[in-house]
PDB file of all heavy atoms in Angstrom:
ATOM      1  N   VAL A1268      -2.558-158.749  50.835  1.00  0.00           N
ATOM      2  CA  VAL A1268      -2.503-157.835  51.976  1.00  0.00           C
ATOM      3  C   VAL A1268      -3.661-156.836  51.968  1.00  0.00           C
ATOM      4  O   VAL A1268      -3.791-156.027  52.893  1.00  0.00           O
ATOM      5  CB  VAL A1268      -1.159-157.069  52.006  1.00  0.00           C
ATOM      6  CG1 VAL A1268       0.012-158.035  52.109  1.00  0.00           C
ATOM      7  CG2 VAL A1268      -1.007-156.178  50.777  1.00  0.00           C
ATOM      8  N   THR A1269      -4.516-156.892  50.944  1.00  0.00           N
ATOM      9  CA  THR A1269      -5.573-155.885  50.787  1.00  0.00           C
ATOM     10  C   THR A1269      -6.499-155.776  51.999  1.00  0.00           C
ATOM     11  O   THR A1269      -6.870-154.656  52.379  1.00  0.00           O
ATOM     12  CB  THR A1269      -6.404-156.192  49.521  1.00  0.00           C
ATOM     13  OG1 THR A1269      -5.524-156.356  48.408  1.00  0.00           O
ATOM     14  CG2 THR A1269      -7.384-155.072  49.218  1.00  0.00           C
ATOM     15  N   PRO A1270      -6.894-156.882  52.643  1.00  0.00           N
ATOM     16  CA  PRO A1270      -7.792-156.730  53.795  1.00  0.00           C
ATOM     17  C   PRO A1270      -7.135-156.052  54.999  1.00  0.00           C
ATOM     18  O   PRO A1270      -7.841-155.652  55.930  1.00  0.00           O
ATOM     19  CB  PRO A1270      -8.176-158.184  54.127  1.00  0.00           C
ATOM     20  CG  PRO A1270      -7.875-158.971  52.898  1.00  0.00           C
ATOM     21  CD  PRO A1270      -6.684-158.307  52.293  1.00  0.00           C
ATOM     22  N   TYR A1271      -5.814-155.932  55.003  1.00  0.00           N
ATOM     23  CA  TYR A1271      -5.116-155.473  56.197  1.00  0.00           C
ATOM     24  C   TYR A1271      -4.517-154.072  56.068  1.00  0.00           C
ATOM     25  O   TYR A1271      -4.116-153.483  57.067  1.00  0.00           O
ATOM     26  CB  TYR A1271      -4.003-156.473  56.538  1.00  0.00           C
ATOM     27  CG  TYR A1271      -4.496-157.894  56.586  1.00  0.00           C
ATOM     28  CD1 TYR A1271      -4.198-158.772  55.553  1.00  0.00           C
ATOM     29  CD2 TYR A1271      -5.292-158.345  57.641  1.00  0.00           C
ATOM     30  CE1 TYR A1271      -4.672-160.079  55.577  1.00  0.00           C
ATOM     31  CE2 TYR A1271      -5.771-159.649  57.670  1.00  0.00           C
ATOM     32  CZ  TYR A1271      -5.457-160.509  56.633  1.00  0.00           C
ATOM     33  OH  TYR A1271      -5.936-161.794  56.663  1.00  0.00           O
ATOM     34  N   THR A1272      -4.435-153.561  54.844  1.00  0.00           N
ATOM     35  CA  THR A1272      -3.840-152.238  54.666  1.00  0.00           C
ATOM     36  C   THR A1272      -4.342-151.603  53.378  1.00  0.00           C
ATOM     37  O   THR A1272      -4.700-152.318  52.422  1.00  0.00           O
ATOM     38  CB  THR A1272      -2.309-152.328  54.615  1.00  0.00           C
ATOM     39  OG1 THR A1272      -1.759-151.021  54.424  1.00  0.00           O
ATOM     40  CG2 THR A1272      -1.837-153.212  53.476  1.00  0.00           C
ATOM     41  N   ASP A1273      -4.390-150.291  53.354  1.00  0.00           N
ATOM     42  CA  ASP A1273      -4.728-149.564  52.130  1.00  0.00           C
ATOM     43  C   ASP A1273      -3.502-149.340  51.259  1.00  0.00           C
ATOM     44  O   ASP A1273      -3.625-148.903  50.118  1.00  0.00           O
ATOM     45  CB  ASP A1273      -5.354-148.203  52.472  1.00  0.00           C
ATOM     46  CG  ASP A1273      -6.770-148.344  53.035  1.00  0.00           C
ATOM     47  OD1 ASP A1273      -7.440-149.332  52.674  1.00  0.00           O
ATOM     48  OD2 ASP A1273      -7.190-147.472  53.821  1.00  0.00           O
ATOM     49  N   LYS A1274      -2.330-149.633  51.805  1.00  0.00           N
ATOM     50  CA  LYS A1274      -1.100-149.381  51.064  1.00  0.00           C
ATOM     51  C   LYS A1274      -0.972-150.328  49.874  1.00  0.00           C
ATOM     52  O   LYS A1274      -1.429-151.470  49.920  1.00  0.00           O
ATOM     53  CB  LYS A1274       0.109-149.532  51.987  1.00  0.00           C
ATOM     54  CG  LYS A1274       0.167-148.482  53.087  1.00  0.00           C
ATOM     55  CD  LYS A1274       1.362-148.694  53.998  1.00  0.00           C
ATOM     56  CE  LYS A1274       1.403-147.622  55.085  1.00  0.00           C
ATOM     57  NZ  LYS A1274       2.567-147.814  55.991  1.00  0.00           N
ATOM     58  N   ILE A1275      -0.353-149.829  48.812  1.00  0.00           N
ATOM     59  CA  ILE A1275      -0.127-150.645  47.620  1.00  0.00           C
ATOM     60  C   ILE A1275       1.352-150.555  47.235  1.00  0.00           C
ATOM     61  O   ILE A1275       2.088-149.693  47.717  1.00  0.00           O
ATOM     62  CB  ILE A1275      -0.991-150.190  46.424  1.00  0.00           C
ATOM     63  CG1 ILE A1275      -0.590-148.767  45.978  1.00  0.00           C
ATOM     64  CG2 ILE A1275      -2.466-150.258  46.769  1.00  0.00           C
ATOM     65  CD1 ILE A1275      -1.169-148.352  44.645  1.00  0.00           C
ATOM     66  N   ILE A1276       1.762-151.451  46.354  1.00  0.00           N
ATOM     67  CA  ILE A1276       3.122-151.419  45.808  1.00  0.00           C
ATOM     68  C   ILE A1276       3.050-150.909  44.372  1.00  0.00           C
ATOM     69  O   ILE A1276       2.299-151.437  43.553  1.00  0.00           O
ATOM     70  CB  ILE A1276       3.774-152.811  45.834  1.00  0.00           C
ATOM     71  CG1 ILE A1276       3.817-153.361  47.266  1.00  0.00           C
ATOM     72  CG2 ILE A1276       5.176-152.758  45.237  1.00  0.00           C
ATOM     73  CD1 ILE A1276       4.269-154.808  47.353  1.00  0.00           C
ATOM     74  N   ALA A1277       3.821-149.878  44.084  1.00  0.00           N
ATOM     75  CA  ALA A1277       3.919-149.334  42.737  1.00  0.00           C
ATOM     76  C   ALA A1277       5.295-149.683  42.172  1.00  0.00           C
ATOM     77  O   ALA A1277       6.318-149.345  42.776  1.00  0.00           O
ATOM     78  CB  ALA A1277       3.715-147.823  42.742  1.00  0.00           C
ATOM     79  N   GLU A1278       5.314-150.387  41.057  1.00  0.00           N
ATOM     80  CA  GLU A1278       6.562-150.734  40.377  1.00  0.00           C
ATOM     81  C   GLU A1278       6.818-149.694  39.297  1.00  0.00           C
ATOM     82  O   GLU A1278       6.124-149.648  38.282  1.00  0.00           O
ATOM     83  CB  GLU A1278       6.469-152.130  39.757  1.00  0.00           C
ATOM     84  CG  GLU A1278       7.785-152.676  39.238  1.00  0.00           C
ATOM     85  CD  GLU A1278       8.708-153.169  40.342  1.00  0.00           C
ATOM     86  OE1 GLU A1278       8.222-153.448  41.459  1.00  0.00           O
ATOM     87  OE2 GLU A1278       9.923-153.282  40.072  1.00  0.00           O
ATOM     88  N   TYR A1279       7.800-148.801  39.549  1.00  0.00           N
ATOM     89  CA  TYR A1279       8.139-147.759  38.589  1.00  0.00           C
ATOM     90  C   TYR A1279       9.027-148.359  37.494  1.00  0.00           C
ATOM     91  O   TYR A1279      10.085-148.915  37.773  1.00  0.00           O
ATOM     92  CB  TYR A1279       8.883-146.625  39.284  1.00  0.00           C
ATOM     93  CG  TYR A1279       8.015-145.653  40.057  1.00  0.00           C
ATOM     94  CD1 TYR A1279       7.028-146.092  40.938  1.00  0.00           C
ATOM     95  CD2 TYR A1279       8.191-144.274  39.918  1.00  0.00           C
ATOM     96  CE1 TYR A1279       6.247-145.195  41.647  1.00  0.00           C
ATOM     97  CE2 TYR A1279       7.406-143.367  40.632  1.00  0.00           C
ATOM     98  CZ  TYR A1279       6.439-143.826  41.490  1.00  0.00           C
ATOM     99  OH  TYR A1279       5.661-142.933  42.188  1.00  0.00           O
ATOM    100  N   VAL A1280       8.593-148.254  36.242  1.00  0.00           N
ATOM    101  CA  VAL A1280       9.289-148.843  35.094  1.00  0.00           C
ATOM    102  C   VAL A1280       9.806-147.724  34.199  1.00  0.00           C
ATOM    103  O   VAL A1280       9.089-146.758  33.928  1.00  0.00           O
ATOM    104  CB  VAL A1280       8.342-149.756  34.296  1.00  0.00           C
ATOM    105  CG1 VAL A1280       9.061-150.380  33.101  1.00  0.00           C
ATOM    106  CG2 VAL A1280       7.751-150.845  35.195  1.00  0.00           C
ATOM    107  N   TRP A1281      11.062-147.856  33.747  1.00  0.00           N
ATOM    108  CA  TRP A1281      11.603-146.875  32.817  1.00  0.00           C
ATOM    109  C   TRP A1281      12.569-147.538  31.844  1.00  0.00           C
ATOM    110  O   TRP A1281      12.912-148.708  31.996  1.00  0.00           O
ATOM    111  CB  TRP A1281      12.283-145.721  33.564  1.00  0.00           C
ATOM    112  CG  TRP A1281      13.590-146.069  34.230  1.00  0.00           C
ATOM    113  CD1 TRP A1281      14.852-145.912  33.725  1.00  0.00           C
ATOM    114  CD2 TRP A1281      13.774-146.607  35.561  1.00  0.00           C
ATOM    115  NE1 TRP A1281      15.804-146.317  34.626  1.00  0.00           N
ATOM    116  CE2 TRP A1281      15.177-146.749  35.771  1.00  0.00           C
ATOM    117  CE3 TRP A1281      12.900-146.990  36.582  1.00  0.00           C
ATOM    118  CZ2 TRP A1281      15.701-147.250  36.956  1.00  0.00           C
ATOM    119  CZ3 TRP A1281      13.430-147.494  37.770  1.00  0.00           C
ATOM    120  CH2 TRP A1281      14.815-147.617  37.934  1.00  0.00           C
ATOM    121  N   ILE A1282      13.010-146.787  30.837  1.00  0.00           N
ATOM    122  CA  ILE A1282      13.918-147.290  29.806  1.00  0.00           C
ATOM    123  C   ILE A1282      15.336-146.872  30.170  1.00  0.00           C
ATOM    124  O   ILE A1282      15.593-145.705  30.480  1.00  0.00           O
ATOM    125  CB  ILE A1282      13.527-146.733  28.427  1.00  0.00           C
ATOM    126  CG1 ILE A1282      12.077-147.125  28.104  1.00  0.00           C
ATOM    127  CG2 ILE A1282      14.467-147.242  27.339  1.00  0.00           C
ATOM    128  CD1 ILE A1282      11.416-146.236  27.093  1.00  0.00           C
ATOM    129  N   GLY A1283      16.268-147.826  30.105  1.00  0.00           N
ATOM    130  CA  GLY A1283      17.646-147.570  30.500  1.00  0.00           C
ATOM    131  C   GLY A1283      18.489-146.967  29.396  1.00  0.00           C
ATOM    132  O   GLY A1283      17.998-146.556  28.337  1.00  0.00           O
ATOM    133  N   GLY A1284      19.784-146.953  29.629  1.00  0.00           N
ATOM    134  CA  GLY A1284      20.718-146.225  28.780  1.00  0.00           C
ATOM    135  C   GLY A1284      20.929-146.794  27.396  1.00  0.00           C
ATOM    136  O   GLY A1284      21.346-146.062  26.489  1.00  0.00           O
ATOM    137  N   THR A1285      20.658-148.085  27.192  1.00  0.00           N
ATOM    138  CA  THR A1285      20.829-148.645  25.849  1.00  0.00           C
ATOM    139  C   THR A1285      19.680-148.260  24.931  1.00  0.00           C
ATOM    140  O   THR A1285      19.776-148.420  23.715  1.00  0.00           O
ATOM    141  CB  THR A1285      20.922-150.180  25.881  1.00  0.00           C
ATOM    142  OG1 THR A1285      19.651-150.721  26.291  1.00  0.00           O
ATOM    143  CG2 THR A1285      22.014-150.645  26.834  1.00  0.00           C
ATOM    144  N   GLY A1286      18.589-147.776  25.509  1.00  0.00           N
ATOM    145  CA  GLY A1286      17.408-147.442  24.719  1.00  0.00           C
ATOM    146  C   GLY A1286      16.492-148.613  24.488  1.00  0.00           C
ATOM    147  O   GLY A1286      15.405-148.457  23.935  1.00  0.00           O
ATOM    148  N   ILE A1287      16.890-149.806  24.921  1.00  0.00           N
ATOM    149  CA  ILE A1287      16.065-150.996  24.744  1.00  0.00           C
ATOM    150  C   ILE A1287      15.887-151.762  26.053  1.00  0.00           C
ATOM    151  O   ILE A1287      14.993-152.605  26.182  1.00  0.00           O
ATOM    152  CB  ILE A1287      16.662-151.922  23.653  1.00  0.00           C
ATOM    153  CG1 ILE A1287      15.659-152.999  23.226  1.00  0.00           C
ATOM    154  CG2 ILE A1287      17.964-152.553  24.113  1.00  0.00           C
ATOM    155  CD1 ILE A1287      14.418-152.465  22.587  1.00  0.00           C
ATOM    156  N   ASP A1288      16.710-151.481  27.060  1.00  0.00           N
ATOM    157  CA  ASP A1288      16.601-152.191  28.337  1.00  0.00           C
ATOM    158  C   ASP A1288      15.543-151.537  29.219  1.00  0.00           C
ATOM    159  O   ASP A1288      15.433-150.322  29.301  1.00  0.00           O
ATOM    160  CB  ASP A1288      17.943-152.241  29.067  1.00  0.00           C
ATOM    161  CG  ASP A1288      18.549-150.856  29.274  1.00  0.00           C
ATOM    162  OD1 ASP A1288      18.475-150.022  28.348  1.00  0.00           O
ATOM    163  OD2 ASP A1288      19.107-150.600  30.362  1.00  0.00           O
ATOM    164  N   VAL A1289      14.735-152.358  29.892  1.00  0.00           N
ATOM    165  CA  VAL A1289      13.741-151.843  30.825  1.00  0.00           C
ATOM    166  C   VAL A1289      14.247-152.065  32.246  1.00  0.00           C
ATOM    167  O   VAL A1289      14.759-153.129  32.588  1.00  0.00           O
ATOM    168  CB  VAL A1289      12.365-152.511  30.626  1.00  0.00           C
ATOM    169  CG1 VAL A1289      11.640-151.899  29.442  1.00  0.00           C
ATOM    170  CG2 VAL A1289      12.469-154.010  30.458  1.00  0.00           C
ATOM    171  N   ARG A1290      14.107-151.048  33.057  1.00  0.00           N
ATOM    172  CA  ARG A1290      14.512-151.090  34.468  1.00  0.00           C
ATOM    173  C   ARG A1290      13.276-150.843  35.333  1.00  0.00           C
ATOM    174  O   ARG A1290      12.291-150.250  34.868  1.00  0.00           O
ATOM    175  CB  ARG A1290      15.561-150.014  34.753  1.00  0.00           C
ATOM    176  CG  ARG A1290      16.752-149.980  33.792  1.00  0.00           C
ATOM    177  CD  ARG A1290      17.693-151.133  34.002  1.00  0.00           C
ATOM    178  NE  ARG A1290      18.854-151.076  33.117  1.00  0.00           N
ATOM    179  CZ  ARG A1290      20.122-151.025  33.532  1.00  0.00           C
ATOM    180  NH1 ARG A1290      20.397-151.035  34.836  1.00  0.00           N
ATOM    181  NH2 ARG A1290      21.114-150.995  32.661  1.00  0.00           N
ATOM    182  N   SER A1291      13.345-151.240  36.592  1.00  0.00           N
ATOM    183  CA  SER A1291      12.221-150.954  37.486  1.00  0.00           C
ATOM    184  C   SER A1291      12.659-151.037  38.938  1.00  0.00           C
ATOM    185  O   SER A1291      13.643-151.715  39.267  1.00  0.00           O
ATOM    186  CB  SER A1291      11.066-151.929  37.244  1.00  0.00           C
ATOM    187  OG  SER A1291      11.357-153.214  37.761  1.00  0.00           O
ATOM    188  N   LYS A1292      11.935-150.354  39.788  1.00  0.00           N
ATOM    189  CA  LYS A1292      12.078-150.508  41.237  1.00  0.00           C
ATOM    190  C   LYS A1292      10.745-150.172  41.897  1.00  0.00           C
ATOM    191  O   LYS A1292       9.883-149.517  41.308  1.00  0.00           O
ATOM    192  CB  LYS A1292      13.219-149.662  41.788  1.00  0.00           C
ATOM    193  CG  LYS A1292      13.084-148.161  41.620  1.00  0.00           C
ATOM    194  CD  LYS A1292      14.278-147.477  42.307  1.00  0.00           C
ATOM    195  CE  LYS A1292      14.159-145.967  42.284  1.00  0.00           C
ATOM    196  NZ  LYS A1292      15.208-145.323  43.099  1.00  0.00           N
ATOM    197  N   SER A1293      10.588-150.644  43.143  1.00  0.00           N
ATOM    198  CA  SER A1293       9.291-150.602  43.817  1.00  0.00           C
ATOM    199  C   SER A1293       9.275-149.580  44.940  1.00  0.00           C
ATOM    200  O   SER A1293      10.301-149.302  45.559  1.00  0.00           O
ATOM    201  CB  SER A1293       8.963-151.977  44.407  1.00  0.00           C
ATOM    202  OG  SER A1293       9.193-153.004  43.477  1.00  0.00           O
ATOM    203  N   ARG A1294       8.085-149.059  45.203  1.00  0.00           N
ATOM    204  CA  ARG A1294       7.892-148.226  46.386  1.00  0.00           C
ATOM    205  C   ARG A1294       6.466-148.388  46.902  1.00  0.00           C
ATOM    206  O   ARG A1294       5.553-148.754  46.161  1.00  0.00           O
ATOM    207  CB  ARG A1294       8.190-146.761  46.098  1.00  0.00           C
ATOM    208  CG  ARG A1294       7.185-146.039  45.232  1.00  0.00           C
ATOM    209  CD  ARG A1294       7.555-144.561  45.070  1.00  0.00           C
ATOM    210  NE  ARG A1294       7.541-143.842  46.331  1.00  0.00           N
ATOM    211  CZ  ARG A1294       8.078-142.624  46.502  1.00  0.00           C
ATOM    212  NH1 ARG A1294       8.687-142.026  45.491  1.00  0.00           N
ATOM    213  NH2 ARG A1294       8.018-142.016  47.667  1.00  0.00           N
ATOM    214  N   THR A1295       6.291-148.108  48.188  1.00  0.00           N
ATOM    215  CA  THR A1295       4.981-148.204  48.815  1.00  0.00           C
ATOM    216  C   THR A1295       4.234-146.882  48.653  1.00  0.00           C
ATOM    217  O   THR A1295       4.792-145.807  48.890  1.00  0.00           O
ATOM    218  CB  THR A1295       5.122-148.540  50.306  1.00  0.00           C
ATOM    219  OG1 THR A1295       5.847-149.775  50.436  1.00  0.00           O
ATOM    220  CG2 THR A1295       3.760-148.686  50.963  1.00  0.00           C
TER     221      THR A1295
END
């Protein structure tokens, strides 16, 4: 989509409650 928009997708990654699980969600 780069030629059509300056917008990007950022995948936010963090550590969950077990201390070993990785979680993530996306935003524009």
Side-chain angles (χ1 to χ4, degrees):
V1268 300
T1269 308
Y1271 309 105
T1272 179
D1273 288 332
K1274 294 179 180 180
I1275 65 168
I1276 302 172
E1278 190 76 20
Y1279 281 48
V1280 180
W1281 71 94
I1282 302 157
T1285 67
I1287 193 63
D1288 55 319
V1289 281
R1290 310 287 182 121
S1291 74
K1292 62 177 185 172
S1293 313
R1294 71 177 297 166
T1295 302

